[in-house]
């Protein structure tokens, strides 16, 4: 059961890192700092540093504002195409703690893959939403993403088995939807080019 719980934390935290790394780091840091959940990996203690929490919250505030501006949010996502997957991979490593080198490499790869998948889905979905003439849909989606990230990050630590189920369902949805999403984006770009 411990392996399933670790897998739930690993997949959940990696997944939400691909959507908003700074909110995820902030949640993990605050949860460990105030000891809100017992039995977390000791490696999470590295994130309960006041400076790390402050920087994560400041960067989250920047992302919160950037996500509300159509067009700028796409540029922000492009910049984070490397940052989010790498952050998800590092959180996955922290989740497994001291393990065999093989398990650490596997955790790193799974974390990077999960974060990359959720990042690509978020970025693609945002490009399509930006085609809407009104700015409110962008803001609503952004706030919903932020609430989902904070909720699933907390759930990944407090109830990792439930987080595992939710993350697997979301991953299956992304696997099904991502090809259609990218096809729609290519059609949109083709239409703009011509």
């Amino acid at each position: 059961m411990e392996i399933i719980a670790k897998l739930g934390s690993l997949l959940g935290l990696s997944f939400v890192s691909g959507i908003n790394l700074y909110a995820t780091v902030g949640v993990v840091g605050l949860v460990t700092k105030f000891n809100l959940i017992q039995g977390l990996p000791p490696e999470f203690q590295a994130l309960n540093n006041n400076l790390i929490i402050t920087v994560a919250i400041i960067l989250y505030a920047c992302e919160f504002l950037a996500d509300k501006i159509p067009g700028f949010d796409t540029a922000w996502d492009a910049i984070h195409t490397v940052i989010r997957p790498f952050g998800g991979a590092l959180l996955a490593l922290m989740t497994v703690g001291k393990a065999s080198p093989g398990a650490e490499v596997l955790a790193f790869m799974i974390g990077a893959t999960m974060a990359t998948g959720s990042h690509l889905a978020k970025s693609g979905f945002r490009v399509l939403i930006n085609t809407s003439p009104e700015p409110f849909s962008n803001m609503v989606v952004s706030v919903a993403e932020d609430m989902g990230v904070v909720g699933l990050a907390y759930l990944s630590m407090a109830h990792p088995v439930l987080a595992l189920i939710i993350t697997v369902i979301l991953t299956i949805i992304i696997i099904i939807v991502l090809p259609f999403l990218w096809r729609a984006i290519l059609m949109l770009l083709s239409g703009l080019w011509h």
Side-chain angles (χ1 to χ4, degrees):
M1 190 64 170
E2 183 183 336
I3 292 173
I4 293 174
K6 278 214 185 263
L7 186 62
S9 290
L10 185 149
L11 293 179
L13 290 173
S14 298
F15 184 89
V16 294
S17 293
I19 299 169
N20 192 319
L21 175 63
Y22 309 123
T24 305
V25 170
V27 168
V28 175
L30 289 169
V31 164
T32 54
K33 180 164 187 65
F34 295 108
N35 206 20
L36 299 176
I37 300 170
Q38 304 300 316
L40 293 176
E43 287 75 13
F44 283 176
Q45 295 298 320
L47 301 179
N48 79 1
N49 179 297
N50 288 336
L51 180 61
I52 291 173
I53 293 170
T54 302
V55 169
I57 290 171
I58 289 169
L59 290 171
Y60 165 71
C62 292
E63 182 154 339
F64 182 85
L65 295 173
D67 269 357
K68 308 304 179 278
I69 304 167
F72 187 73
D73 64 337
T74 302
W76 184 270
D77 284 341
I79 292 167
H80 285 81
T81 298
V82 173
I83 297 169
R84 290 178 185 149
F86 187 69
L90 289 178
L91 280 171
L93 266 178
M94 294 173 90
T95 302
V96 296
K98 293 189 189 323
S100 70
E104 290 177 354
V105 169
L106 188 61
F108 189 88
M109 291 189 307
I110 290 171
T113 301
M114 291 298 293
T116 300
S118 60
H119 169 72
L120 291 175
K122 172 194 173 162
S123 301
F125 191 60
R126 282 307 190 80
V127 167
L128 292 181
I129 288 178
N130 285 341
T131 62
S132 173
E134 43 74 37
F136 300 109
S137 57
N138 204 39
M139 291 181 199
V140 169
V141 168
S142 176
V143 170
E145 285 172 356
D146 292 343
M147 291 188 316
V149 165
V150 170
L152 189 53
Y154 182 82
L155 204 60
S156 295
M157 294 179 286
H159 304 286
V161 175
L162 181 57
L164 175 63
I165 294 166
I166 292 169
T167 305
V168 167
I169 290 169
L170 291 173
T171 302
I172 290 169
I173 291 170
I174 286 175
I175 290 169
I176 292 169
V177 171
L178 204 56
F180 299 106
L181 182 65
W182 286 105
R183 195 171 305 129
I185 291 169
L186 289 175
M187 287 173 49
L188 176 69
L189 293 174
S190 175
L192 289 173
W193 183 258
H194 295 293

